Amino acid sequence: MHSLMELQNITKQFKGKQVIQEASLSILANQIVALIGKNGCGKSTLLKIIGGLARPDSGRIIKHKQPLKIGYVPEVTPSSIPFTPEQYLLHMGTISGISKQQLLDRIDLLLDLFQLDDVRQMKINSFSKGMKQKVTIMQAVLLETDVLLLDEPLSGLDLKAQKDVEEVLVTLKKKGVSVVLTCHETNLLEQATDKVLLIKDGEVKETNFLQNTENYKNRLVFEVSAQVLTEVLLKYIMIQQKTPLEEDLYKIEAIVHQEYTDHVLKELLYNDASIKQLVPISRSQEAFYQQF
Amino acid sequence: MTGLLRYHWSSYIRSHRYIPPLTLFILTLVVNYAYKPNPIIASYSFTALMLFLLMGWFTITIFHAEDMGQQQITLMHAKSQTLYHVSLIFVCLFIAFCLSVLSTAYPIVFDTFGASVSPIHGLLGFLAHFSLATLSISLCVLFTRGIVRKKENTWWGVLFVLVLSIAVVTLKKSILPEAFIWFMPPLHLSLDMMSVEDTITSIPSLFYWQFGWIFLYGAVVIGLFFILLRKKQAF
């Protein structure tokens, strides 16, 4: 994969605070890159610097392709777009300077690709949030974009819409578009992204939190009577929460080491406990969730 | 630029935010000319003053017709903040022009004046409307969201600057020093010119200079708007 653009030693201050400090990264072709970090850590600022919407205080941005076409989808999905998708995309494309015939062909292609062909004559204002998000992504790829930047693309969407947008991003990647996005949603990070960059204390570091999924603990939720919770069993589990349900029946949320899990489960089932949930936890996931 | 103009116009028309100021303006014309006969120049002066006030409403709603998210998208496509805002100002000027023509033609078409109207009356009427509407646009753009972040400050700012412009008419005769008047919005010049008698047969050359000064003042303030915008925005 070849590099489309490079950011070298980028710094940016915002309201007197150093949000980006000597950050360097490359954006490769056909790659989905996620920027993660706590709120206010500078994810959106870095995204805007990549898109040319904000100027860095210092550092260099090198584009290896000229012209490099960059599309941008802002964090706030427009609440009101008083046009049909076709009219809206025609307006945005015309403003970008695309010829009408080229634009009409591209709109047909995108409406088909994003599965919005059936609603091309409907007002966008009547669309669901997920459909609106698709339209805002479509405007960003009108110019056969090389790099697509998305600021929190899944925020505020229900699971079905999140899945749809995720599929769209994977399709765009297959079509040769590089995607850089900021997000909190771990599903998207686990399934669609090729690289995760963590922004912490102004520094940008690549992380493999989600690739290393070796389990070392399990989270176990079960319902059990008080007598079963003998000292022997308590040696293997670490109870996080104990909720009384009815007389002599408790809901227990506990952490158990991987090596003891089978033994604990056998013991519980043997004593008529009801297992409600068993979720594997890896060290990397535990560390990952601490970033938000 | 044509694409931006067409988009801003369609977007504004579809937002329906023009309905309240347009309704008020039409009501002003209808009520003002409900009874006849009416004086020519004084009537034009009054409706021009109303257009000056209502043009502030039009300007803010035109500049804020898109929500913030969409504005970022449109700016990204336009690739130029200046071009984006110049096209918005053109939409404002187009509306100002149409309303100035409507306001000048309405009493002539419905024959509500007491005396016959000459082309000089028509020209004076149009210039009074269009110059004040342009002045209002230039003053109000300084309070749009590119410059003023808080929504409530936008409306208080517009109200303040428009009322201040009218107040200069009275203050210049009493407390304001002569040199200071030159920096104030020159609405008072239009009101002075429009206090001539209806029997006027030719337009004095001083009037052209004074109308010219109102337009120039507006252009300078719009220039100031772009300077402030560059300082405020990172784009």
Side-chain angles (χ1 to χ4, degrees):
Chain A
M1 277 188 285
H2 63 279
S3 171
L4 290 175
M5 70 186 292
E6 274 178 63
L7 276 74
Q8 292 178 348
N9 305 319
I10 299 292
T11 57
K12 178 78 181 173
Q13 277 199 346
F14 188 66
K15 291 182 179 170
K17 189 189 160 201
Q18 192 81 25
V19 282
I20 307 286
Q21 205 174 315
E22 299 280 317
S24 297
L25 63 111
S26 315
I27 295 166
L28 305 181
N30 288 50
Q31 205 179 44
I32 298 183
V33 180
L35 299 173
I36 63 163
K38 287 181 178 163
N39 282 341
C41 72
K43 299 186 296 278
S44 300
T45 308
L46 187 60
L47 204 68
K48 283 180 181 167
I49 289 173
I50 297 169
L53 286 159
R55 292 192 198 104
D57 297 332
S58 66
R60 287 177 65 194
I61 299 172
I62 303 161
K63 293 177 181 173
H64 295 297
K65 189 182 174 196
Q66 293 293 346
L68 186 70
K69 292 170 198 158
I70 300 176
Y72 177 67
V73 180
E75 184 178 357
V76 188
T77 308
S79 56
S80 170
I81 304 176
F83 300 103
T84 65
E86 199 172 6
Q87 290 167 338
Y88 176 68
L89 295 171
L90 262 171
H91 276 303
M92 293 300 117
T94 311
I95 293 169
S96 277
I98 310 172
S99 72
K100 192 167 182 186
Q101 194 48 54
Q102 198 186 345
L103 200 50
L104 288 170
D105 294 343
R106 182 79 180 152
I107 291 170
D108 283 343
L109 187 101
L110 289 174
L111 285 169
D112 186 43
L113 188 73
F114 284 68
Q115 296 169 354
L116 289 177
D117 211 14
D118 297 345
V119 291
R120 64 190 296 154
Q121 299 299 342
M122 274 173 69
K123 284 271 170 70
I124 298 171
N125 281 342
S126 65
F127 284 9
S128 67
K129 270 188 176 178
M131 287 162 79
K132 272 186 189 170
Q133 184 65 305
K134 277 187 178 181
V135 175
T136 56
I137 296 174
M138 283 165 79
Q139 63 73 29
V141 291
L142 265 177
L143 263 175
E144 298 192 34
T145 312
D146 300 303
V147 181
L148 174 63
L149 308 174
L150 303 106
D151 202 351
E152 301 287 351
L154 304 186
S155 106
L157 301 185
D158 59 34
L159 281 174
K160 160 93 178 57
Q162 286 193 8
K163 197 79 199 151
D164 285 353
V165 172
E166 193 182 311
E167 276 170 20
V168 161
L169 296 181
V170 173
T171 311
L172 287 172
K173 182 188 148 186
K174 283 179 189 161
K175 298 262 172 199
V177 179
S178 289
V179 179
V180 183
L181 50 91
T182 64
C183 80
H184 288 99
E185 291 78 6
T186 46
N187 278 355
L188 178 69
L189 293 173
E190 282 170 10
Q191 288 161 30
T193 56
D194 300 298
K195 189 157 81 174
V196 179
L197 299 174
L198 169 70
I199 304 179
K200 197 175 178 186
D201 303 324
E203 290 177 14
V204 181
K205 285 179 190 158
E206 188 168 348
T207 172
N208 61 351
F209 284 135
L210 296 160
Q211 268 104 51
N212 177 9
T213 52
E214 186 198 344
N215 296 345
Y216 83 116
K217 282 181 187 172
N218 287 304
R219 183 171 175 271
L220 186 60
V221 182
F222 57 94
E223 288 173 12
V224 73
S225 67
Q227 297 97 304
V228 178
L229 293 170
T230 58
E231 271 187 32
V232 181
L233 188 63
L234 289 172
K235 263 185 9 191
Y236 298 110
I237 62 172
M238 193 169 72
I239 294 179
Q240 290 189 311
Q241 202 167 342
K242 185 177 173 184
T243 317
L245 295 176
E246 53 190 75
E247 198 182 336
D248 199 35
L249 186 68
Y250 292 89
K251 181 185 172 193
I252 308 290
E253 292 176 43
I255 301 290
V256 54
H257 265 270
Q258 178 71 22
E259 59 193 288
Y260 305 129
T261 305
D262 288 352
H263 174 72
V264 170
L265 283 172
K266 268 187 213 161
E267 191 71 23
L268 287 170
L269 290 169
Y270 182 75
N271 286 290
D272 295 328
S274 170
I275 309 296
K276 297 295 174 194
Q277 198 182 39
L278 178 68
V279 184
I281 306 170
S282 69
R283 274 194 184 87
S284 52
Q285 278 172 317
E286 209 173 18
F288 174 75
Y289 290 120
Q290 284 166 6
Q291 304 308 321
F292 298 109
Chain B
M1 181 75 162
T2 323
L4 266 173
L5 282 171
R6 223 180 279 151
Y7 166 71
H8 283 315
W9 176 256
S10 306
S11 187
Y12 186 57
I13 293 301
R14 285 162 191 250
S15 75
H16 300 112
R17 292 187 190 184
Y18 61 89
I19 293 174
L22 183 66
T23 308
L24 267 177
F25 186 69
I26 289 171
L27 273 175
T28 303
L29 290 181
V30 172
V31 171
N32 190 48
Y33 295 114
Y35 296 99
K36 55 183 186 178
N38 293 285
I40 303 169
I41 303 287
S43 300
Y44 277 151
S45 185
F46 173 71
T47 52
L49 189 63
M50 286 307 290
L51 183 59
F52 172 77
L53 293 172
L54 292 172
M55 208 56 222
W57 198 338
F58 279 110
T59 304
I60 299 298
T61 48
I62 287 167
F63 269 70
H64 297 178
E66 287 184 303
D67 66 29
M68 293 288 275
Q70 183 52 46
Q71 188 184 23
Q72 282 186 27
I73 292 172
T74 315
L75 271 168
M76 188 85 187
H77 285 283
K79 298 176 201 82
S80 158
Q81 183 159 235
T82 307
L83 211 60
Y84 174 90
H85 286 98
V86 165
S87 60
L88 281 172
I89 290 170
F90 272 124
V91 172
C92 294
L93 286 172
F94 177 69
I95 290 179
F97 178 82
C98 292
L99 293 180
S100 299
V101 170
L102 172 73
S103 202
T104 311
Y106 179 89
I108 300 171
V109 171
F110 290 97
D111 193 22
T112 61
F113 290 135
S116 64
V117 184
S118 71
I120 285 165
H121 293 128
L123 181 62
L124 264 181
F126 175 77
L127 282 174
H129 283 90
F130 193 54
S131 62
L132 290 194
T134 307
L135 181 66
S136 178
I137 293 165
S138 67
L139 294 171
C140 293
V141 292
L142 293 176
F143 299 96
T144 52
R145 67 183 170 208
I147 309 287
V148 175
R149 298 286 180 216
K150 284 188 177 170
K151 209 174 179 179
E152 60 269 28
N153 290 348
T154 292
W155 290 108
W156 283 118
V158 165
L159 207 62
F160 169 77
V161 79
L162 297 184
V163 170
L164 175 78
S165 308
I166 298 170
V168 171
V169 180
T170 328
L171 296 177
K172 74 169 186 175
K173 289 170 189 159
S174 51
I175 52 173
L176 286 179
E178 181 83 13
F180 197 65
I181 298 292
W182 282 97
F183 294 100
M184 291 284 112
L187 172 127
H188 59 100
L189 292 181
S190 171
L191 295 187
D192 286 349
M193 286 184 277
M194 297 303 277
S195 59
V196 292
E197 296 293 323
D198 285 351
T199 50
I200 188 169
T201 51
S202 66
I203 300 175
S205 59
L206 177 70
F207 279 24
Y208 291 112
W209 284 108
Q210 288 183 325
F211 278 125
W213 172 241
I214 299 175
F215 284 116
L216 184 68
Y217 187 95
V220 169
V221 177
I222 287 172
L224 176 70
F225 163 72
F226 281 106
I227 292 169
L228 289 174
L229 202 63
R230 278 184 75 87
K231 285 195 170 175
K232 284 261 176 187
Q233 310 276 322
F235 188 79

